[in-house]
C-alpha cells in the first residue's frame, strides 16, 4: 500500500507532498510562510493519497508561525504533523460506496 499526504494552500494548489508513509504518523513542512503570522483553520488542507486515489481534503487547524531567526530571509517553515490509526489493507476501503463494515475507514476518491 503506497500512502502519501498532500498539503494544499487556500487556492487549492499542492504546496507539499510527503515521502511515502509507512507508519502511523507523518510530518511535512510548509515552507515560505510569513514569520509571526496567524493562519486560520482551513488556510491549508491535507488529503491522503493511498495507492493513487485521493481522499477528501480536511482543514489543517489554525496555527501561528514563529518569529524569523533569519530576518534577512523573510520567511519561515512550519511543520504539520498528522497522526493516523494503524492502517493495513483490512482496516480501510477506497470506493465510491460506503463499506458495509463500519469498523473500516472509508476513503472516497475525488479524482
Amino acid at each position: 500500500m503506497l500512502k502519501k499526504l498532500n498539503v494544499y494552500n487556500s487556492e487549492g494548489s499542492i504546496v507539499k507532498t510527503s515521502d511515502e508513509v509507512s507508519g502511523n504518523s507523518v510530518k511535512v513542512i510548509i515552507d515560505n510562510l510569513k514569520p509571526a503570522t496567524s493562519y486560520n483553520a482551513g488556510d491549508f488542507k491535507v488529503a491522503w493519497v493511498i495507492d493513487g486515489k485521493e481522499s477528501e481534503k480536511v482543514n489543517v487547524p489554525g496555527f501561528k508561525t514563529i518569529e524569523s531567526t533569519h530576518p534577512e530571509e523573510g520567511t519561515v517553515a512550519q511543520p504539520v504533523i498528522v497522526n493516523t490509526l494503524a492502517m493495513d489493507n483490512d482496516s480501510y476501503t477506497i470506493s465510491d460506496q460506503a463499506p458495509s463494515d463500519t469498523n473500516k475507514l472509508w476513503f472516497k476518491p475525488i479524482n
Side-chain angles (χ1 to χ4, degrees), residues 42-54:
D43 285 346
F44 294 93
K45 295 182 182 288
V46 293
W48 285 108
V49 178
I50 302 173
D51 293 334
K53 295 184 179 183
E54 187 173 62

Side-chain angles (χ1 to χ4, degrees), residues 36-85:
T37 301
S38 292
Y39 290 88
N40 296 318
D43 285 346
F44 294 93
K45 295 182 182 288
V46 293
W48 285 108
V49 178
I50 302 173
D51 293 334
K53 295 184 179 183
E54 187 173 62
S55 70
E56 290 186 39
K57 297 176 186 82
V58 295
N59 292 341
V60 171
F63 60 90
K64 183 175 182 179
T65 55
I66 60 172
E67 294 286 338
S68 179
T69 55
H70 302 285
E72 67 279 0
E73 293 178 14
T75 63
V76 295
Q78 178 72 32
V80 174
I81 300 170
V82 176
N83 293 308
T84 65
L85 302 171

